[in-house]
Amino acid sequence: DVDDAAEVGAAQYLAGSFLLVALAAMPDPDPTDHTAAFLLAGLGMVAGTLRWMARDSGPMASRVANLGCIVYVGAIIATARPLGAAALLMLWPVMNTAYFLGRRDLLAACLVAVGSLTAGLSLNPTVTADVALQLVPTAGILVATSILVVLLPERIDRLLRHLPRTASTYVLT
């Protein structure tokens, strides 16, 4: 449902913003990223609020919001010091796309996610080649999980379509 996609899209921006604020407020050996974290948190709050207000605007708004959120996470990756698990935030918009929008949009989201992940890692001066190589599986996790999210409802739909025939031919029923 498009309304559900919009609500989840708004929630992912807002949750990411609150997470950035919470992380920046914690003791940190390298606080040089706190200004960027607060700026990105503010941007995320604005984007989440706008997404919530435009929740009746249809699937195109969901597409744009999800792709925008993926790029937003790329900016978080580019500024996070230390990087930590920031790349896993890409799961939210990619899963939103997989569940609500379908295969073609998922392909676009995965391509943008890999590009955004690559750009964020390239722009973050604290990321070494070893860290980047360790994060390559993140892209694989994004793609594999999103494919599963798309295929699972399709599988359930097939099983439900065959249920009447199975019920009428099964020996015990």
Side-chain angles (χ1 to χ4, degrees), residues 55-66:
R55 63 187 179 276
D56 296 330
S57 54
M60 183 54 76
S62 289
R63 289 180 182 101
V64 170
N66 287 343

Side-chain angles (χ1 to χ4, degrees), residues 89-108:
L89 293 174
M90 287 232 188
L91 278 171
W92 295 350
V94 173
M95 294 301 100
N96 186 330
T97 301
Y99 187 77
F100 290 110
L101 297 176
R103 290 178 181 215
R104 193 174 328 175
D105 292 308
L106 176 60
L107 176 61

Side-chain angles (χ1 to χ4, degrees), residues 90-170:
M90 287 232 188
L91 278 171
W92 295 350
V94 173
M95 294 301 100
N96 186 330
T97 301
Y99 187 77
F100 290 110
L101 297 176
R103 290 178 181 215
R104 193 174 328 175
D105 292 308
L106 176 60
L107 176 61
C110 286
L111 291 173
V112 171
V114 169
S116 187
L117 178 63
T118 303
L121 291 172
S122 299
L123 293 171
N124 188 324
T126 65
V127 173
T128 64
D130 290 342
V131 172
L133 286 174
Q134 291 171 1
L135 289 174
V136 167
T138 302
I141 290 168
L142 284 169
V143 172
T145 305
S146 58
I147 289 170
L148 182 63
V149 168
V150 167
L151 293 178
L152 190 58
E154 291 175 6
R155 172 82 173 135
I156 291 169
D157 287 343
R158 274 196 312 273
L159 289 171
L160 289 175
R161 278 195 310 273
H162 295 326
L163 187 61
R165 188 184 78 213
T166 303
S168 66
T169 58
Y170 188 63

Side-chain angles (χ1 to χ4, degrees), residues 12-102:
Q12 67 195 16
Y13 275 110
L14 296 173
S17 298
F18 288 117
L19 183 61
L20 282 174
V21 169
L23 289 173
M26 297 175 78
D28 186 351
D30 182 5
T32 59
D33 63 339
H34 289 193
T35 301
F38 286 122
L39 289 172
L40 286 168
L43 179 65
M45 287 180 194
V46 169
T49 302
L50 290 173
R51 183 65 190 117
W52 177 260
M53 291 170 36
R55 63 187 179 276
D56 296 330
S57 54
M60 183 54 76
S62 289
R63 289 180 182 101
V64 170
N66 287 343
L67 293 175
C69 194
I70 291 167
V71 173
Y72 172 70
V73 173
I76 293 170
I77 291 168
T79 60
R81 287 161 186 69
L83 184 58
L88 290 177
L89 293 174
M90 287 232 188
L91 278 171
W92 295 350
V94 173
M95 294 301 100
N96 186 330
T97 301
Y99 187 77
F100 290 110
L101 297 176

